[in-house]
Amino acid sequence: MFILACSQLLMIIFHAASGYNYTTNYITVPVDHFSYTNNDTFELKYLINDKYWDVNKGPIFFYTGNEGRIEDFCDNTGFMWEISREFEALVVFAEHRYYGESMPYGTNSFDDKEKLGYLTSQQAMADFVDLIKYLRDDSLSVGKRPNPVFAFGGSYGGMLAAWFRIKYPATVEGAIASSAPIWQFTGMTPCNDFYKVTSSVYRNASAECGLTISASWKAIDKVTESDSGKTWLTDNWKLCTPLKDSDDVARLKYWATDVYVALAMVNYPYEANFLAPLPANPIKEVCKSMTNHTEDDETLLMSVFHGLSVYFNYTGSTKCLNLSSAFSDDMMNGWDYQACTEMIMPLCTNGGEDDIFEAYPWDFKSYSEYCENRYDVKPTTDDVEKQYGGKNLKAASNIIFSNGLLDPWSSGGVLKSLSSSIKALLIPDGAHHLDLRASHPNDTSSVIHARKTIKHWITKWIFDYRYRK
Amino acid sequence: MFILACSQLLMIIFHAASGYNYTTNYITVPVDHFSYTNNDTFELKYLINDKYWDVNKGPIFFYTGNEGRIEDFCDNTGFMWEISREFEALVVFAEHRYYGESMPYGTNSFDDKEKLGYLTSQQAMADFVDLIKYLRDDSLSVGKRPNPVFAFGGSYGGMLAAWFRIKYPATVEGAIASSAPIWQFTGMTPCNDFYKVTSSVYRNASAECGLTISASWKAIDKVTESDSGKTWLTDNWKLCTPLKDSDDVARLKYWATDVYVALAMVNYPYEANFLAPLPANPIKEVCKSMTNHTEDDETLLMSVFHGLSVYFNYTGSTKCLNLSSAFSDDMMNGWDYQACTEMIMPLCTNGGEDDIFEAYPWDFKSYSEYCENRYDVKPTTDDVEKQYGGKNLKAASNIIFSNGLLDPWSSGGVLKSLSSSIKALLIPDGAHHLDLRASHPNDTSSVIHARKTIKHWITKWIFDYRYRK
């Protein structure tokens, strides 16, 4: 379950409202775009703002929604909003089917394989094609308009943005794929790279921090060997539910591992609000208390607890530590299913030198069993490679892959430019899709530069679209 | 029904065996590649010959099968066979699902929408991806091999070859799309272009030939006004079933129209065997008897009959003229369905100056009703454009579109090069996918040149694949 839990972490959603203005609309789309066995349709939600749009030539900035309600992505993609004025762009955020309100079969959408089976990236992109066609051609009484479309997306949404350009280059002129781990798949990236990057973030904060976390796993085991030790840890870590057995202890360690990953993803240079409020540069804060890995087990675990408190109790108002509230159910359901079908991203830890975690191998067999039992689907490992080309992107064009090198998901990202129009953009001190977020006074020069570069490329693509048909 | 009948004509299959040697194999593929509602699989047939294959670096020549049993395309694509030796290529012909033996639900495949709905070009191409992956990677014990793949196809198979490169450029390095009317869709090509090209072929054979056919429709109407006239035409045209009413007369005219189209498609410079044997340059033969369009109706109709006899009775052994045996049922079923879903190609005639036929408008409404009644599908006109980009092929590469300008289907073809790697190859005196056929002593210089050009491009693509990764 450890690995499963981790693959849930692809997208971190901030629950703070942004105050961006938009209209909420719906478009009717087919449930199945690729066969004719099923004539059902449903309403796909999208958010739209045409305040600055030059309808005669302005581009369409199209966010390819990912695994959550679209409002959250809208609120956390300030970059699109900020540049819409100078580009005279239409701003559109399209929800991904089976998330938020865009349920093909309403509250029954997750009932069985026959209803849930249409939750795929390919179907979602075909929804987007329909929406763009409607926005660009059909909704305007004057017929087709020369408005180039650019896809934006972060994390899984970034993967969709890139794949959208790869699969539908006649629909979308270019893609900004931020923190998009399109190579986090079988045979493309070693499964332990993800946790290696995570580990390096803590080790770089301080060597002692990495060593303390490394040492903490055995310390937890040793302390919780006895019942009194379990009670001690329950009391001192303020757990809402007491530790009873080794399963509870394992769950605690999974939770801590997830928190380390989550903190690395949102290691932003300013305060932010992820589930609960977080300080600026949270990993620096976490590591502040972890300064000596050679202390006795209980002292070491208290330093770890103080570090983790930054994540779950920065304001000091959390009464107890709840190990099961990391993600909303809505997000869990859809992504858990996708991670059992197309989106099988092998993750593992080696322990030892490679990372600061306990060793967990990638176990496809038991993962596969879980998926078969839960969803009646047999996971395959090559769907994404077959559909989107894997490492062979020679024929693709006009995609920017931006990655923060502090982001665990950069492990599966495109970190080297592949051609004159498939560009890698590195943000050495950036976390997960920082570049797509609104600008902030604390932004470092590298993310400011990244945003300038993206604007440069969009300008170039618009020029090409208008003058090099 | 006229227009429906014509859209059946996309591919003309020759039923002569070729004597090419191959092994017949089967691969298990999913019925649905794009959703997870249905775990069914079926056996897809393919023909394979590795006699000349250099397994370490030789390319794979992959025919993307179209609407018929694959053996027929194999037998009529001699060009692939002829060049396989010098390229040390693996030769593969993959059958299209729902044709030949490749039936997802056996003899029940056409029973209802739920079984037939998986008959789409997208699903067929995903089958091909699985097969190529198996041939290139999985079937060889040593892992992935550096064998570039090139798609070949004629007519609908040519459309698939082009779309295959467009959608799966990581799987297939280039495509030879012969006589592929990828633009014979709504909004891309005027609906009467197809019959304009057909007409020009007859007019170019001789002005009188075109004028005689033009005049024949009214002559048929006038002669068959009376019962004695119907009997006269039945007797003199040797119809197997007597003309009884105006529906029968209409059917006769549809049949003649189809024959004119079919002859234009197979207007090859050598004898060939299409359903029945045909002479070399059959249209020249047809037009030999049509020399005076001002003759009285009965004399004119006899000259038309002698012309049409070239098609249905070249050997003189046909006892009577059967108006309903033009196509095999197998081919009709699948393509009729495809023409009701994705492959809606509007065709119309204007009559008068534009063409040598009677005027028939394109009537989407009644066409749509037919499809809804027969298959419970609502035809849409933009599926192909949305999926494959329509006229916007800017982002595509490595496709050769070859077209014989005597081929009616050249009306929907790509006749101008679009970029340095999307090349149009014109064969001014060529008919339907002549270039893919085996070489023949009567071949004209233009088709010989076309084949040389194709070989040149394949050589270049192989070089790029090996040395410009």
Side-chain angles (χ1 to χ4, degrees):
Chain A
M1 286 301 296
F2 167 66
I3 296 299
L4 276 180
C6 289
S7 71
Q8 306 293 349
L9 274 169
L10 191 51
M11 183 70 199
I12 297 278
I13 295 172
F14 288 74
H15 287 292
S18 62
Y20 298 124
N21 286 317
Y22 48 76
T23 306
T24 302
N25 282 342
Y26 301 84
I27 183 173
T28 305
V29 292
V31 170
D32 190 353
H33 293 270
F34 296 95
S35 299
Y36 299 94
T37 60
N38 178 346
N39 293 345
D40 295 340
T41 60
F42 72 102
E43 301 293 295
L44 190 88
K45 183 161 77 175
Y46 63 99
L47 316 178
I48 188 164
N49 180 316
D50 64 359
K51 185 174 174 188
Y52 299 120
W53 194 31
D54 178 348
V55 68
N56 290 305
K57 60 180 171 38
I60 297 174
F61 288 170
F62 190 95
Y63 189 93
T64 49
N66 29 329
E67 72 283 22
R69 52 194 288 274
I70 192 61
E71 289 84 352
D72 292 327
F73 302 108
C74 175
D75 292 345
N76 287 282
T77 312
F79 177 64
M80 269 172 73
W81 290 101
E82 289 179 358
I83 66 171
S84 66
R85 184 174 195 157
E86 65 188 280
F87 283 104
E88 299 177 310
L90 181 69
V91 176
V92 181
F93 285 82
E95 194 158 73
H96 192 297
R97 54 167 58 198
Y98 291 87
Y99 294 97
E101 273 185 79
S102 299
M103 292 294 167
Y105 293 104
T107 52
N108 302 116
S109 297
F110 288 77
D111 281 2
D112 51 46
K113 184 179 74 176
E114 284 68 30
K115 296 197 187 66
L116 186 51
Y118 301 104
L119 168 49
T120 73
S121 60
Q122 289 262 62
Q123 300 278 6
M125 285 193 279
D127 293 338
F128 299 158
V129 171
D130 278 5
L131 176 53
I132 288 169
K133 187 175 152 52
Y134 169 75
L135 293 172
R136 186 157 57 170
D137 302 338
D138 305 344
S139 72
L140 305 164
S141 56
V142 290
K144 297 193 181 192
R145 293 269 191 183
N147 307 95
V149 181
F150 301 103
F152 291 72
S155 196
Y156 171 51
M159 296 159 74
L160 290 173
W163 292 337
F164 201 28
R165 169 66 188 169
I166 289 169
K167 278 303 204 196
Y168 296 96
T171 297
V172 61
E173 284 297 305
I176 312 299
S178 176
S179 302
I182 61 162
W183 289 345
Q184 195 74 49
F185 292 92
T186 307
M188 301 186 212
T189 296
C191 65
N192 67 319
D193 274 13
F194 179 89
Y195 286 100
K196 262 165 99 169
V197 175
T198 311
S199 301
S200 71
V201 174
Y202 289 89
R203 287 168 168 166
N204 289 344
S206 82
E208 273 306 320
C209 188
L211 291 168
T212 303
I213 297 171
S214 285
S216 69
W217 313 111
K218 277 213 176 104
I220 292 173
D221 286 343
K222 273 200 274 174
V223 164
T224 58
E225 265 173 9
S226 67
D227 285 347
S228 62
K230 288 191 190 77
T231 304
W232 180 88
L233 197 60
T234 299
D235 292 346
N236 283 279
W237 279 36
K238 299 181 182 162
L239 302 183
C240 300
T241 309
L243 297 173
K244 286 189 303 287
D245 51 29
S246 60
D247 281 357
D248 289 343
V249 174
R251 200 171 302 120
L252 176 73
K253 292 194 283 189
Y254 300 157
W255 174 85
T257 302
D258 280 358
V259 168
Y260 293 127
V261 168
L263 284 166
M265 287 169 70
V266 300
N267 191 28
Y268 297 134
Y270 44 81
E271 287 198 342
N273 189 356
F274 163 57
L275 299 175
L278 281 178
N281 301 307
I283 287 185
K284 207 170 133 193
E285 293 298 314
V286 168
C287 288
K288 263 187 189 162
S289 64
M290 306 191 195
T291 52
N292 184 357
H293 73 286
T294 61
E295 284 170 327
D296 67 274
D297 289 339
E298 293 190 353
T299 309
L300 184 132
L301 289 182
M302 286 317 292
S303 75
V304 168
F305 173 71
H306 288 124
L308 289 169
S309 299
V310 169
Y311 175 82
F312 75 92
N313 195 18
Y314 174 50
T315 60
S317 62
T318 306
K319 294 227 169 69
C320 63
L321 171 52
N322 184 345
L323 301 183
S324 63
S325 67
F327 302 97
S328 73
D329 273 350
D330 173 39
M331 187 171 149
M332 291 296 275
N333 281 335
W335 188 253
D336 189 53
Y337 177 79
Q338 289 194 265
C340 268
T341 49
E342 289 174 304
M343 299 299 151
I344 294 171
M345 300 184 179
L347 296 180
C348 66
T349 47
N350 291 356
E353 288 295 303
D354 276 354
D355 52 63
I356 59 175
F357 302 100
E358 291 190 291
Y360 285 94
W362 166 243
D363 181 354
F364 178 69
K365 192 164 165 287
S366 63
Y367 187 86
S368 191
E369 280 163 11
Y370 164 81
C371 296
E372 283 183 67
N373 290 336
R374 177 142 186 199
Y375 299 112
D376 188 18
V377 290
K378 231 185 163 64
T380 53
T381 55
D382 55 6
D383 280 6
V384 159
E385 180 166 22
K386 285 191 294 187
Q387 277 303 323
Y388 305 119
K391 291 244 166 173
N392 180 351
L393 299 181
K394 276 189 291 182
S397 59
N398 291 10
I399 306 174
I400 293 176
F401 289 101
S402 64
N403 278 283
L405 295 186
L406 302 185
D407 175 14
W409 289 108
S410 67
S411 61
V414 178
L415 304 181
K416 274 187 191 169
S417 294
L418 300 178
S419 70
S420 61
S421 73
I422 302 282
K423 289 289 182 185
L425 188 54
L426 303 184
I427 307 167
D429 53 3
H432 202 50
H433 62 76
L434 174 61
D435 49 330
L436 288 192
R437 298 179 59 76
S439 57
H440 189 282
N442 290 13
D443 279 335
T444 60
S445 61
S446 70
V447 71
I448 292 169
H449 174 74
R451 293 192 185 117
K452 266 193 197 149
T453 305
I454 292 171
K455 280 165 55 176
H456 162 80
W457 278 99
I458 295 173
T459 305
K460 183 192 175 328
W461 291 340
I462 292 174
F463 180 88
D464 288 350
Y465 183 81
R466 286 191 190 145
Y467 304 111
R468 293 192 191 162
K469 291 199 182 183
Chain B
M1 289 302 294
F2 166 64
I3 297 299
L4 278 180
C6 288
S7 69
Q8 306 293 349
L9 275 166
L10 192 52
M11 183 72 200
I12 298 276
I13 296 171
F14 288 75
H15 287 290
S18 61
Y20 299 124
N21 286 319
Y22 48 76
T23 306
T24 302
N25 283 341
Y26 302 83
I27 182 174
T28 306
V29 293
V31 170
D32 190 354
H33 293 271
F34 296 95
S35 300
Y36 298 95
T37 59
N38 179 345
N39 293 346
D40 296 340
T41 60
F42 71 101
E43 301 293 295
L44 190 88
K45 183 162 76 178
Y46 63 99
L47 316 178
I48 189 164
N49 180 317
D50 63 0
K51 184 174 175 188
Y52 299 119
W53 194 29
D54 177 349
V55 68
N56 290 304
K57 62 180 173 34
I60 297 174
F61 288 171
F62 190 94
Y63 189 93
T64 50
N66 31 327
E67 72 284 20
R69 53 195 287 275
I70 192 61
E71 289 84 352
D72 292 328
F73 301 109
C74 175
D75 291 344
N76 286 282
T77 312
F79 177 63
M80 268 173 72
W81 290 102
E82 289 179 0
I83 66 172
S84 65
R85 183 173 194 159
E86 66 188 277
F87 283 104
E88 299 176 312
L90 181 70
V91 176
V92 181
F93 285 82
E95 195 159 71
H96 191 297
R97 52 166 58 199
Y98 290 88
Y99 294 96
E101 274 185 79
S102 299
M103 292 294 167
Y105 294 102
T107 53
N108 301 116
S109 297
F110 288 77
D111 281 2
D112 52 45
K113 186 178 72 175
E114 285 67 30
K115 295 195 189 66
L116 186 51
Y118 302 104
L119 168 50
T120 74
S121 60
Q122 289 261 63
Q123 300 278 7
M125 284 193 283
D127 293 337
F128 298 159
V129 171
D130 278 5
L131 175 53
I132 288 170
K133 187 175 152 52
Y134 168 75
L135 293 173
R136 186 157 55 171
D137 303 337
D138 305 344
S139 72
L140 305 165
S141 56
V142 290
K144 296 192 181 192
R145 293 271 189 178
N147 308 93
V149 181
F150 301 103
F152 291 73
S155 198
Y156 170 50
M159 297 159 75
L160 290 174
W163 293 337
F164 201 29
R165 169 66 188 167
I166 289 169
K167 279 301 204 198
Y168 297 95
T171 297
V172 60
E173 283 298 304
I176 311 300
S178 174
S179 301
I182 61 162
W183 289 345
Q184 194 73 48
F185 291 93
T186 306
M188 302 186 211
T189 296
C191 65
N192 67 320
D193 275 12
F194 178 88
Y195 286 100
K196 264 164 95 169
V197 175
T198 311
S199 299
S200 71
V201 174
Y202 289 88
R203 286 167 168 165
N204 289 344
S206 82
E208 274 305 319
C209 188
L211 291 167
T212 303
I213 296 171
S214 285
S216 69
W217 312 111
K218 275 210 177 106
I220 291 173
D221 287 342
K222 272 199 274 174
V223 164
T224 58
E225 264 171 12
S226 66
D227 285 349
S228 63
K230 287 191 189 77
T231 305
W232 181 87
L233 197 58
T234 299
D235 292 346
N236 283 279
W237 280 36
K238 297 181 182 160
L239 302 183
C240 299
T241 311
L243 297 173
K244 286 189 302 287
D245 51 30
S246 59
D247 281 356
D248 289 344
V249 174
R251 199 170 304 123
L252 176 73
K253 291 194 285 190
Y254 300 158
W255 174 85
T257 303
D258 280 359
V259 168
Y260 293 128
V261 168
L263 284 166
M265 287 170 70
V266 299
N267 192 28
Y268 298 133
Y270 44 81
E271 287 198 344
N273 190 357
F274 163 56
L275 299 176
L278 281 178
N281 301 305
I283 288 187
K284 206 169 135 195
E285 292 298 314
V286 168
C287 288
K288 261 186 190 163
S289 65
M290 305 192 197
T291 53
N292 184 358
H293 73 288
T294 62
E295 283 169 330
D296 66 274
D297 289 340
E298 293 190 352
T299 309
L300 185 131
L301 289 182
M302 288 315 293
S303 75
V304 167
F305 172 71
H306 287 125
L308 289 169
S309 300
V310 169
Y311 175 81
F312 75 93
N313 195 18
Y314 174 52
T315 58
S317 62
T318 307
K319 295 226 169 70
C320 64
L321 170 52
N322 184 346
L323 302 182
S324 60
S325 66
F327 301 99
S328 73
D329 273 350
D330 173 40
M331 187 170 151
M332 292 294 277
N333 280 334
W335 188 252
D336 190 55
Y337 177 79
Q338 290 195 262
C340 267
T341 49
E342 290 174 303
M343 300 297 150
I344 293 172
M345 301 184 179
L347 296 180
C348 66
T349 47
N350 291 357
E353 288 295 302
D354 276 355
D355 52 65
I356 59 174
F357 302 101
E358 290 190 292
Y360 286 93
W362 166 242
D363 182 355
F364 179 68
K365 191 165 165 288
S366 63
Y367 187 85
S368 193
E369 280 162 13
Y370 164 80
C371 295
E372 285 183 66
N373 290 336
R374 175 140 187 200
Y375 299 113
D376 188 19
V377 291
K378 229 186 164 65
T380 55
T381 55
D382 54 7
D383 279 6
V384 159
E385 181 166 20
K386 285 191 295 188
Q387 277 302 324
Y388 305 118
K391 290 242 167 175
N392 180 352
L393 300 181
K394 277 189 291 182
S397 60
N398 291 10
I399 306 174
I400 293 175
F401 290 101
S402 63
N403 278 284
L405 295 185
L406 301 184
D407 174 16
W409 289 108
S410 67
S411 60
V414 177
L415 303 182
K416 274 187 191 169
S417 293
L418 301 177
S419 70
S420 61
S421 73
I422 302 282
K423 290 290 183 185
L425 188 54
L426 305 183
I427 306 167
D429 54 2
H432 201 50
H433 62 74
L434 173 61
D435 48 331
L436 289 192
R437 298 179 58 75
S439 57
H440 189 279
N442 289 12
D443 278 334
T444 61
S445 62
S446 69
V447 71
I448 292 169
H449 174 74
R451 293 192 185 118
K452 267 192 197 148
T453 305
I454 292 170
K455 281 166 53 177
H456 161 81
W457 279 99
I458 295 172
T459 305
K460 181 190 175 330
W461 292 339
I462 291 174
F463 180 88
D464 289 351
Y465 182 81
R466 287 192 190 144
Y467 305 110
R468 294 192 189 162
K469 290 203 181 178

